[in-house]
Amino acid sequence: VGCVVMDNAGNLAAATSTGGTLAKRWGRVGDSPIVGAGTIADNRSCAISCTGIGEHFIRNAIAHDVSSRMLYGKQSLSTAAQASVHEVLPTDSGGLIGVDHEGNIVLEFNTPGMSRGVADSSGRFEVKLGKE
């Protein structure tokens, strides 16, 4: 379970509880909450929360990768998230949610589905399951 937010002052925050995959083994500790791997918040770029096979997120520092692509590569949140999820992560390993310092939102994943939701101050409220 993860959450990313931008407050009315433009500050970004991210939280990730355990991340992970459906039906993972009992007692396995989630890896995605590790800062830089599966969660990050930087007011200069974005807030990211990831879920999936945590080892892949650790090895590739996916949350940090998205932020760095924005900061150093001058990529948009959408371009950075797509590259990290679809070019860096192995297929069928997870996804992420993110918001940038301008309020743009991404819900990117390379699995058959990922439950996710979006709400904002304009009244937008969406909940999605699967690939929809």
Coordinates of all heavy atoms in Angstrom, one line a residue, residues 1-6 12-19 33 38-41 46-51 96-99 105-107 115-119:
V1 N 0.9 -1.2 0.0 CA 0.0 0.0 0.0 C 0.9 1.2 0.0 O 1.8 1.3 0.8 CB -0.9 0.0 1.2 CG1 -1.7 1.3 1.3 CG2 -1.8 -1.2 1.2
G2 N 0.6 2.1 -0.9 CA 1.4 3.3 -1.0 C 0.6 4.6 -1.2 O -0.6 4.5 -1.6
C3 N 1.2 5.7 -1.0 CA 0.5 7.0 -1.2 C 1.5 8.1 -1.5 O 2.6 8.1 -1.0 CB -0.3 7.4 0.1 SG -1.2 8.9 0.0
V4 N 1.1 8.9 -2.5 CA 2.0 10.1 -2.8 C 1.1 11.3 -2.8 O -0.1 11.2 -3.2 CB 2.7 9.9 -4.2 CG1 3.7 8.8 -4.1 CG2 1.7 9.7 -5.3
V5 N 1.6 12.4 -2.3 CA 0.7 13.6 -2.2 C 1.5 14.9 -2.5 O 2.8 14.9 -2.3 CB 0.1 13.8 -0.8 CG1 -0.9 12.6 -0.5 CG2 1.1 13.9 0.3
M6 N 0.8 15.9 -2.9 CA 1.4 17.2 -3.0 C 0.4 18.1 -2.2 O -0.8 18.1 -2.5 CB 1.5 17.7 -4.4 CG 2.1 19.1 -4.5 SD 2.3 19.8 -6.2 CE 0.7 20.2 -6.6
L12 N 6.0 17.8 -1.4 CA 5.7 16.4 -1.8 C 6.0 15.4 -0.7 O 6.9 15.7 0.1 CB 6.5 16.0 -3.0 CG 6.3 16.9 -4.3 CD1 7.3 16.5 -5.4 CD2 4.9 16.7 -4.8
A13 N 5.2 14.4 -0.6 CA 5.4 13.3 0.4 C 5.1 12.0 -0.2 O 4.2 11.9 -1.1 CB 4.6 13.6 1.7
A14 N 5.7 10.9 0.3 CA 5.4 9.6 -0.2 C 5.5 8.6 1.0 O 6.3 8.8 1.9 CB 6.5 9.1 -1.2
A15 N 4.7 7.6 1.0 CA 4.6 6.6 2.0 C 4.4 5.3 1.3 O 3.6 5.2 0.4 CB 3.6 6.9 3.0
T16 N 5.1 4.2 1.8 CA 4.9 2.9 1.2 C 5.0 1.9 2.4 O 6.0 1.9 3.2 CB 6.0 2.5 0.2 OG1 6.1 3.6 -0.8 CG2 5.8 1.2 -0.4
S17 N 3.9 1.1 2.6 CA 3.9 0.3 3.8 C 4.7 -1.0 3.6 O 5.8 -1.1 4.2 CB 2.5 -0.1 4.2 OG 1.9 -0.9 3.1
T18 N 4.3 -1.9 2.7 CA 5.1 -3.1 2.5 C 5.4 -3.4 1.0 O 6.3 -4.1 0.7 CB 4.4 -4.3 3.1 OG1 3.1 -4.5 2.4 CG2 4.2 -4.2 4.5
G19 N 4.6 -2.8 0.1 CA 4.8 -3.1 -1.3 C 4.6 -4.6 -1.4 O 4.1 -5.3 -0.5
P33 N 9.5 -0.5 0.5 CA 9.5 0.7 1.3 C 10.9 1.3 1.5 O 11.0 2.4 2.1 CB 8.9 0.3 2.7 CG 8.2 -1.0 2.4 CD 8.9 -1.6 1.3
G38 N 12.0 1.9 -3.3 CA 10.5 1.9 -3.6 C 9.8 3.1 -3.1 O 8.6 3.2 -3.3
T39 N 10.4 4.1 -2.5 CA 9.7 5.3 -2.1 C 10.7 6.4 -2.1 O 11.9 6.3 -1.7 CB 9.1 5.1 -0.7 OG1 8.2 6.2 -0.4 CG2 10.1 4.9 0.4
I40 N 10.3 7.6 -2.4 CA 11.1 8.8 -2.4 C 10.2 10.0 -2.5 O 9.1 9.9 -3.1 CB 12.1 8.8 -3.6 CG1 13.3 9.8 -3.3 CG2 11.5 9.1 -4.9 CD1 14.5 9.6 -4.2
A41 N 10.6 11.1 -1.9 CA 9.9 12.4 -2.1 C 11.0 13.5 -2.1 O 11.8 13.6 -1.2 CB 8.9 12.6 -0.9
C46 N 9.8 14.8 -7.6 CA 8.6 14.0 -7.5 C 8.5 13.3 -6.2 O 9.5 13.2 -5.4 CB 8.5 13.0 -8.6 SG 9.9 11.8 -8.6
A47 N 7.3 12.7 -5.9 CA 7.1 11.7 -4.9 C 6.7 10.4 -5.6 O 5.8 10.4 -6.4 CB 6.0 12.2 -3.9
I48 N 7.3 9.3 -5.2 CA 7.1 8.0 -5.8 C 6.8 7.0 -4.7 O 7.5 6.9 -3.7 CB 8.3 7.6 -6.6 CG1 8.6 8.6 -7.8 CG2 8.2 6.1 -7.1 CD1 7.6 8.5 -8.9
S49 N 5.9 6.1 -4.9 CA 5.7 4.9 -4.1 C 5.5 3.7 -5.1 O 4.8 3.7 -6.0 CB 4.4 5.0 -3.2 OG 4.3 3.9 -2.5
C50 N 6.3 2.6 -4.8 CA 6.4 1.5 -5.7 C 5.8 0.2 -5.0 O 5.7 0.2 -3.8 CB 7.8 1.1 -6.0 SG 8.7 2.5 -6.8
T51 N 5.4 -0.7 -5.8 CA 5.0 -2.0 -5.3 C 5.4 -3.1 -6.3 O 5.5 -2.8 -7.5 CB 3.4 -2.1 -5.1 OG1 3.1 -3.3 -4.5 CG2 2.7 -1.9 -6.4
L96 N 4.4 1.7 -10.0 CA 4.6 2.8 -9.1 C 3.4 3.8 -9.4 O 2.8 3.8 -10.4 CB 5.9 3.4 -9.3 CG 6.3 4.0 -10.7 CD1 5.7 5.4 -10.9 CD2 7.8 4.0 -10.9
I97 N 3.3 4.6 -8.3 CA 2.4 5.8 -8.4 C 3.3 7.0 -8.2 O 4.3 6.9 -7.4 CB 1.2 5.8 -7.5 CG1 1.7 5.6 -6.0 CG2 0.3 4.6 -7.9 CD1 0.5 5.7 -5.0
G98 N 3.0 8.1 -8.7 CA 3.9 9.3 -8.5 C 3.1 10.6 -8.8 O 2.1 10.6 -9.5
V99 N 3.6 11.6 -8.2 CA 3.2 13.0 -8.4 C 4.4 13.9 -8.5 O 5.4 13.7 -7.8 CB 2.2 13.5 -7.4 CG1 2.8 13.5 -6.0 CG2 1.6 14.8 -7.7
I105 N 0.3 13.5 -12.3 CA 0.2 12.2 -11.7 C 0.5 11.1 -12.7 O 0.1 11.1 -13.8 CB -1.2 12.0 -11.1 CG1 -1.5 13.1 -10.1 CG2 -1.4 10.6 -10.6 CD1 -2.9 13.1 -9.7
V106 N 1.2 10.0 -12.2 CA 1.5 8.8 -13.0 C 1.0 7.6 -12.2 O 1.1 7.6 -11.0 CB 2.9 8.6 -13.5 CG1 3.4 9.7 -14.4 CG2 3.9 8.5 -12.3
L107 N 0.6 6.6 -12.9 CA 0.2 5.3 -12.4 C 0.7 4.3 -13.4 O 0.1 3.9 -14.3 CB -1.3 5.2 -12.3 CG -2.1 6.3 -11.6 CD1 -3.5 6.3 -12.0 CD2 -1.9 6.2 -10.1
S115 N -4.0 -2.3 -8.6 CA -5.0 -1.5 -8.0 C -4.4 -0.1 -7.7 O -3.3 0.0 -7.1 CB -5.6 -2.1 -6.7 OG -6.1 -3.4 -7.0
R116 N -5.2 0.9 -8.0 CA -4.7 2.3 -7.8 C -5.8 3.3 -7.8 O -6.9 3.0 -8.3 CB -3.7 2.7 -8.9 CG -4.3 2.6 -10.3 CD -3.4 1.9 -11.3 NE -4.0 2.0 -12.6 CZ -4.7 1.0 -13.1 NH1 -4.9 -0.1 -12.4 NH2 -5.1 1.0 -14.3
G117 N -5.6 4.4 -7.2 CA -6.6 5.4 -7.1 C -6.0 6.8 -7.2 O -4.8 7.0 -6.9
V118 N -6.8 7.8 -7.6 CA -6.3 9.2 -7.8 C -7.4 10.1 -7.2 O -8.6 9.9 -7.5 CB -6.1 9.5 -9.2 CG1 -5.7 11.0 -9.4 CG2 -5.0 8.7 -9.9
A119 N -7.0 11.1 -6.5 CA -8.0 12.1 -6.0 C -7.2 13.4 -6.0 O -6.0 13.5 -5.7 CB -8.5 11.8 -4.6

